[in-house]
Amino acid sequence: MNKFKIYANSEYLKHTIQGYFHTDYVRYGNPGNPDYLNDLKNTFNSYPKEKLHNAATKLYNALKEDLSNFDREFTVCVVPRSKAQNSYSLEQLFFKGVVKMLIKELGFNDGSDYIIRHTDTKTTHLAHSKKGAEFAGNGSMPYPGITKDTCNISKDVKGKYILLIDDIYTKSVNIDEDAIQALLDNGAKSVIFYAIGKTK
């Protein structure tokens, strides 16, 4: 597991946050890249179950290795996908499903439903892609406060030590920064961040 800092910036995040990640993300298809993260997105809900289960197994192994190092006092939350949660099928929510499984298995407090998207935003990895831009969907690109505007945030966040998990962290996108700030503004005692992949 690797450490990094998510630095405060004037727009999205007021305080520098400790971050962790499992491996570098160096673009889909490149040697050593965690392509299983893209497979789990199952963007068009078209992947066969075998492909999804293989990807989920790889995620499970990486997550278990790293999460085992964190104190069990943490409440684990998950950064929601870009569209409203009720617009996804179960086959598109495997990432969150694996996290929930490990929360229970390892004995963390379950905050995986503390942030629920109710309004679509743009799918940023598609919006930034020449080939995928037309499939990025409705809604806004990231702006300060987008998490509060498009998500329901549980009152149970208040006073909790939060471990916030996402699949891929990309510095320039600011979705994770905004989610961290939203948790702090809603009373979280502290937030640390973890992603499987960190864009190099």
Side-chain angles (χ1 to χ4, degrees):
M1 185 164 61
N2 306 281
K3 295 174 81 169
F4 73 109
K5 295 284 189 185
I6 301 179
Y7 290 100
N9 61 57
S10 57
E11 290 186 292
Y12 289 92
L13 185 61
K14 295 176 185 173
H15 305 285
T16 296
I17 296 294
Q18 183 62 59
Y20 300 86
F21 68 101
H22 184 74
T23 189
D24 288 324
Y25 186 89
V26 290
R27 289 195 178 181
Y28 189 81
N30 284 355
N33 193 62
D35 288 349
Y36 58 88
L37 297 175
N38 299 78
D39 294 343
L40 287 170
K41 290 181 188 296
N42 192 15
T43 302
F44 304 108
N45 201 21
S46 58
Y47 288 161
K49 286 186 178 180
E50 184 179 359
K51 185 182 183 94
L52 294 172
H53 283 291
N54 287 341
T57 299
K58 290 177 182 177
L59 172 64
Y60 174 89
N61 291 335
L63 266 177
K64 186 172 184 179
E65 178 185 331
D66 289 348
L67 293 187
S68 296
N69 295 303
F70 289 104
D71 195 304
R72 302 311 193 265
E73 72 174 336
F74 284 111
T75 296
V76 176
C77 297
V78 180
V79 176
R81 294 198 64 175
S82 58
K83 300 186 189 311
Q85 181 167 294
N86 62 12
S87 68
Y88 291 108
S89 72
L90 289 175
E91 288 75 21
Q92 293 174 299
L93 296 171
F94 270 34
F95 182 87
K96 185 174 179 179
V98 171
V99 173
K100 285 178 82 76
M101 184 188 308
L102 280 166
I103 287 171
K104 185 175 181 180
E105 184 177 324
L106 296 175
F108 290 100
N109 300 308
D110 189 354
S112 59
D113 290 322
Y114 277 13
I115 313 172
I116 301 293
R117 184 94 56 202
H118 58 68
T119 300
D120 288 0
T121 63
K122 289 252 189 243
T123 304
T124 53
H125 73 280
L126 292 176
H128 289 296
S129 163
K130 290 179 182 178
K131 293 181 180 178
E134 64 182 294
F135 302 111
N138 301 317
S140 301
M141 288 293 283
Y143 61 84
I146 192 170
T147 306
K148 293 178 187 176
D149 290 349
T150 64
C151 298
N152 293 319
I153 301 174
S154 172
K155 292 178 182 177
D156 292 335
V157 106
K158 189 172 183 180
K160 299 291 197 313
Y161 296 92
I162 302 293
L163 171 58
L164 180 63
I165 294 179
D166 202 0
D167 56 355
I168 302 168
Y169 173 79
T170 303
K171 183 178 178 181
S172 60
V173 173
N174 286 305
I175 278 292
D176 294 317
E177 285 84 346
D178 193 75
I180 292 166
Q181 191 61 53
L183 290 169
L184 292 170
D185 289 347
N186 276 270
K189 191 95 171 175
S190 68
V191 180
I192 64 171
F193 176 82
Y194 170 87
I196 289 288
K198 179 177 177 287
T199 302
K200 208 169 179 184

